[in-house]
Amino acid sequence: MSQQGYVAAPPYSQSQPGIGGFSAGFGPPNSSLHYGHYGDPNSSYSAPQPGVSKSTVPFGSSAPVGPPPPGTHQFSQTNFQNGPSTPGQQPHRFQGPPPPSSTGPSYPPYSHQSQPAYPNTVSTSPTAQLANQLNSMQINSYGPGTTPSSRISSGHPASFQGPQLPPPTQQQIALPPGSQVPPPANNVNGLCAQPSLPPVARQDGIPGPVPPDPNLQQLSGQPPGPGYHPQPANYGPQMAGSQLSYPGAFPGGLAQLPGPQQKKLDPDSIPSPIQVIENDKASRGGQIYATNTRGQVPPLVTTDCVIQDQGHASPRYIRCTTYCFPSSSDMAKQARIPLAAVIQPFAIVPPNETPLYVVNHGETGPIRCNRCKAYMCPFMQFIEGGRRYQCGFCNCINDVPPFFFQHLDHIGRRIDHYERPELSLGSYEYVATLDYCRNNKPPKPPAYIFMIDVSYRNINSGLVKLICDELKTLLDKLPREEQEESSAIRVGFVTYNKVLHFFNVKSSLAQPQMMVVSDVGEVFVPLLDGFLVNFQESRSVVINLLDQIPEMFADTNESETIFAPVIQAGMEALKAAECAGKLFIFHSSLPTAEAPGKLRNRDDKKLLNTDKEKTLFQPQVNSYEALARDCVANGCCVNLFLFPNQYVDVASMGLVTMYTGGTLYKYNNFQLDADSPQFLSDLRKDVEKKTGFDAIMRVRTSTGFRATDFFGAIYMNNTTDVEMAAVDCDKAVTVEFKHDDKLNEDSGALIQCAVLYTSISGQRRLRIHNIGLNCSSQLADVYKTCETDALTNFFAKSAFKAILSQPLKMVREILVNQTAHMLACYRKNCASPSAVSQLILPDAMKVLPVYMNCLLKSCVLVGRPEIPTDERAYHRQLVMSMGVADTQLFFYPQLLPIHSLDLKGDTVPAALRCSEERLSEGGAFLLANGLSMFLWLGVSTPPELIQGLFNVPSFAHISTEATSLPDLDNPFSKKLKSILEHIQSRKPYTMKLIIVKQREQPEMLFRQFLVEDKSIYGGASYVDFLCCVHKEICQLLS
């Protein structure tokens, strides 16, 4: 590839040869290290060693710029650790709070950062506008069906230590040097302040048709696409961080870099998430995916297909970050790819797939390995004519119980293999025996308790009446087992303000009776008989009560409320009734009344971007953690519906919901007309959800690795048992694994997840999911089977957990560093040799940078005064329990061009990349991320489209107040409604529709979701972030 002799080198750390925890190259570290342990005591960041300067990392501190000292080819740790480092220690992913260190500050000092994290300064100096230009861009994709580009010198297989492999599928992006002009001193560009970033020009028209696979274009000397006009690089406020100073320009400044004309990086030439999604749909959509092979990579979460369980759990239940684990911990440390599984044990199975079989062995109960207690599954090997079996997890030899004995066929498989779900399927259920029940007694069916805040505001807004009216019809739809006539779930009712009111709704009463508990310090349940009832039996009394509640409190002027005692009362009621259950709490304000769990307004913007920012995500009083623990112990799940019009301290109030496996819903500034449909839809979905109660989950693994970390809406009393007061179809637990020995490539890595729970009918059951993964000593195999969507889910949850104990700045740095490290390791060990200026991405990870950038820009990780603290705490809590499909849409929203609807067929228009460049004035676009839904209308949207959707003549007549589309009898309206319903049907939260007109105020809100662009809060654009990661990689490899 013809290039100038000098390649723009990123700033280097002036590291000493041989310092750092790595020998030359990415070999095994020379000190024994724990890989990525959170809270590892050895991992405090101590003061820098003399002579080792910090590296320039995104959001990082300043670094000297210049070529490395001669002979520095050591992959020295200082080149990639964020902040100062201790020699001989590997940077860990996210630690807990480091121990106090006598040698110096435990974190790099942050005191110098007096400006807000993302200052709103727009640098307009001509230098800044010149600064970010790139020559040209070139991509070569090796992969099935593509010929390696002729401009690459070597398309030969990369040489590995070991057998020759075919060239790995990878994507190469050349980022040659442009003209480098130092940014001015006031350029506070925190995410990446390297000079060679291209400006992403905006354009008003929509780009022409995208070529079928933009990743295969030759983009070396091609002029920019039609309609692009150059634009200053810095539009919009800049990213913050500590100031990055550049002592002078890069060596060899402007004059010494002759070369072709400057061109900007074309966004169509960098990997597109939409293209990846569409390619997978094209190759695997609508087909049957059989789970009969260990370690096979399933279709993406965005691809519709029919899943057939043939021995491994469906990807609806378990998805992994990679389907081939590295065989040794050294390899795992080298690649730094997290080894994790996202487990959604109660995921919904579509009607065209087989529901789980229930296995009942009567009084003997499930068959288990004597040593490791794993349950009978397809990984057990029968021997000695079928009389014994060898456990696939711990290799222990067990006797087969006489009732379970069966002869083996000529290949050593039992004759009844296909008749027994536990021998032939990846997922199934067992009926549990009394040994698996609390106090060895069969459980009672669960109960639902509805607890309504009847303070002045809720009565006045009409909310209380709305809830009571809805419950009259909703209680007929309580969940039940398929074969049952009616639901076994019992219901109870409580109202509260500063005191609690319990209601007796026993079927024999003519009128409901109210009992008041005014001692909220020591809550007790004033009645047992008549509080929890069967709705069908007590229907008339319950309906009578629901009619009376709004009138009973109509004249209230009580505005103060309690909160913790409400949960306490619900839990005590379930405990007294000896059953598990759910509390549905409808609450609207900060609980300021004198009572346990009383909260004050502690929303302090001065804490943003300081070490104390993490306290905003922690509960302000300890009592909520203790309460959560009691709730979990008693199988009491708390669902919280919040209706705040100011700060309510979600971090404290939502804590019990989070730990008990409940769901948090939040409706800001609730207006009866505008917001009722969204709230009622959420309430209906939640009441009707199939749920497992009083659940405990265990994850077992075969020898050589084990589960070490768990993330989700869960509570953990010890290191192995994941406790959930309830677990529903939308909740996922992300589990991280670590090696404790070498893995065997022949036997692979086996995982069994067992959930013990009480069903809605009151039966104790075990739900088992098994999956087998491959193992390899070749890094290329690990990279080839990665799943970006599962990696995103893992990184989001581990980062959102880490912010409770670490400064956000450090968490963001670790994420960028991790991304660069995974890609650098691939480049070094698996890719074909090529010029340093090329960014090489493994095929399975080519869109990881765009997702990581979306995560870095999420409101949780960005401290800005404009973003309400409650909103950040709310998003953090939702993401912690999301499955892979939900995090995928949440971080990279779906953008559909509505003006190009095919009114005849039933196809949905292909999605577009989330960038302003894809919008056009003459179009209408729908954007959804699982929580919000926007309909954006360009100023020249065709009048017939406007008429068809809104029944008004022109753009000017459209009201943006509406939160739903009118019901109209025309093809446009019907088609869009069906698309809205389709998107909505797959998501746990009801999305309220917001109508946005181009160039009007609400457009600012909509723009935040165009995640490939620079964010109004300062987050980098996708193009800039890619350059930034590339610079980090070059630094790691230099």
Side-chain angles (χ1 to χ4, degrees), residues 599-749:
L599 299 174
R600 60 184 172 79
N601 185 339
R602 53 151 183 180
D603 189 15
D604 185 0
K605 301 288 185 209
K606 290 200 285 296
L607 298 181
L608 298 182
N609 304 302
T610 70
D611 272 4
K612 290 211 175 88
E613 182 171 5
K614 55 180 179 269
T615 59
L616 296 173
F617 296 104
Q618 300 162 357
Q620 62 169 284
V621 289
N622 294 337
S623 53
Y624 284 100
E625 294 210 25
L627 184 56
R629 194 170 50 242
D630 291 348
C631 284
V632 173
N634 289 290
C636 169
C637 168
V638 179
N639 275 353
L640 179 56
F641 294 80
L642 278 175
F643 304 87
N645 57 4
Q646 56 198 39
Y647 177 76
V648 290
D649 198 351
V650 169
S652 300
M653 293 187 72
L655 189 81
V656 179
T657 298
M658 172 107 154
Y659 278 154
T660 58
T663 309
L664 177 60
Y665 299 91
K666 185 155 86 66
Y667 311 92
N668 299 335
N669 304 314
F670 181 82
Q671 300 290 322
L672 205 62
D673 305 335
D675 302 309
S676 298
Q678 183 192 10
F679 158 59
L680 294 178
S681 164
D682 281 337
L683 178 58
R684 285 170 200 146
K685 273 190 193 175
D686 204 307
V687 166
E688 295 170 26
K689 261 181 199 176
K690 287 277 167 63
T691 305
F693 296 88
D694 199 8
I696 187 159
M697 177 169 111
R698 255 287 165 86
V699 178
R700 293 181 173 83
T701 56
S702 52
T703 51
F705 73 115
R706 65 196 161 84
T708 55
D709 254 308
F710 299 86
F711 309 91
I714 55 174
Y715 182 78
M716 296 199 70
N717 236 343
N718 54 36
T719 55
T720 53
D721 295 329
V722 178
E723 297 183 58
M724 298 169 280
V727 54
D728 64 43
C729 53
D730 300 312
K731 299 288 181 292
V733 179
T734 301
V735 184
E736 186 177 15
F737 301 99
K738 297 268 166 69
H739 287 77
D740 42 25
D741 204 348
K742 266 188 101 69
L743 297 178
N744 180 330
E745 296 193 31
D746 298 333
S747 52

Side-chain angles (χ1 to χ4, degrees), residues 234-257:
N234 302 318
Y235 53 87
Q238 296 204 331
M239 263 309 258
S242 51
Q243 195 143 317
L244 287 121
S245 55
Y246 284 84
F250 273 44
L254 259 177
Q256 299 167 31
L257 279 175

Side-chain angles (χ1 to χ4, degrees), residues 32 119 126 131 138 141 156 174 227 231 244 254 300 315 351 398 449 530 604 624 682 691 743 917 934 952 1006 1035:
S32 65
Q138 167 202 348
S141 199
H156 307 301
Q231 203 145 320
L244 287 121
L254 259 177
L300 296 179
N398 297 270
I449 303 177
D604 185 0
Y624 284 100
D682 281 337
T691 305
L743 297 178
E917 299 199 326
F934 296 89
V952 297
F1006 169 76
Q1035 212 162 308

Side-chain angles (χ1 to χ4, degrees), residues 35-72:
Y35 162 55
H37 263 289
Y38 299 85
D40 192 350
N42 316 338
S43 54
S44 69
Y45 286 78
S46 63
Q49 292 293 319
V52 180
S53 74
K54 302 181 208 170
S55 65
T56 308
V57 266
F59 320 107
S61 339
S62 59
V65 176
T72 316

